[in-house]
Amino acid sequence: MKKRFVLAVMFLPALLAGLTACAKEEYADRLSEVRSDIFYAETEQFTVTLFCTAREYPYADDGIACPVSKVAEISVVPVAPPDGTVEVYVVAEGGEWGGEASYRSVYGDYRYSQGVDVFPAGSVTLRVVYGDRVQELAATSVRNEHTLSPEAALNIAAASEAQALARMKRDGVLCAEFRVRLLRRDKNYYYVGMIDGKTTISLLLDADTGEVLARRESPL
């Protein structure tokens, strides 16, 4: 009996190593950016979009996923230039937060961002100060009952890029970070980026079905 016990102990490390090698890769642990939701509303004067993003800091294309923090980013796109400044506020039960948005000439919008503890769900009330006008409106999520979670989209993308991810391994360890962003155009899409510090693989997925619609691989 004692001999059998000793043999079992001797073989235990090899058994555990084998089980670990067969375990499913936890890609979600390597996420350095996740845009999980988008809230949208429009008026005759502007459109306003709130992006829910968790992002690493420092933000770098180095293949290493650092701890992420939640940031709410609000974009106001004017139909015509406002007479004055643009301010945006999120109105919630615990109070409101927000401030003056900065104009970005490259994108033609006014942008405001703030760190948050939790993201809204379903819909969110926004107050927009647009020049001399103040409007309060409900922005609704673009997600629907068919929209995949960011983690599900990442797993689908990783399965389609199994060979590429194998090349990103060093001594059997995956050395890469992932970015997943929900996008809204005519419908919902996901951008999935895979970065190992040398190369970026970019995929565009249908956010409802997970179908890979486009792929690009480029050096950093």
Side-chain angles (χ1 to χ4, degrees), residues 95-126:
E96 67 176 47
W97 55 265
E100 183 175 338
S102 300
Y103 181 68
R104 304 189 303 174
S105 58
V106 175
Y107 299 96
D109 72 340
Y110 292 82
R111 192 84 164 191
Y112 178 86
S113 64
Q114 181 170 321
V116 297
D117 294 325
V118 294
F119 291 132
S123 66
V124 60
T125 301
L126 301 176

Side-chain angles (χ1 to χ4, degrees), residues 130-142:
Y130 193 77
D132 58 354
R133 299 183 179 182
V134 179
Q135 297 189 52
E136 193 166 290
L137 58 159
T140 56
S141 171
V142 302

Side-chain angles (χ1 to χ4, degrees), residues 43-47 77-81 130:
T43 70
E44 294 181 353
Q45 291 77 38
F46 57 83
T47 61
V77 179
V79 174
Y130 193 77

Side-chain angles (χ1 to χ4, degrees), residues 153-168:
L154 174 58
N155 287 334
I156 292 172
S160 71
E161 294 293 328
Q163 293 184 351
L165 290 178
R167 296 195 299 268
M168 293 182 177

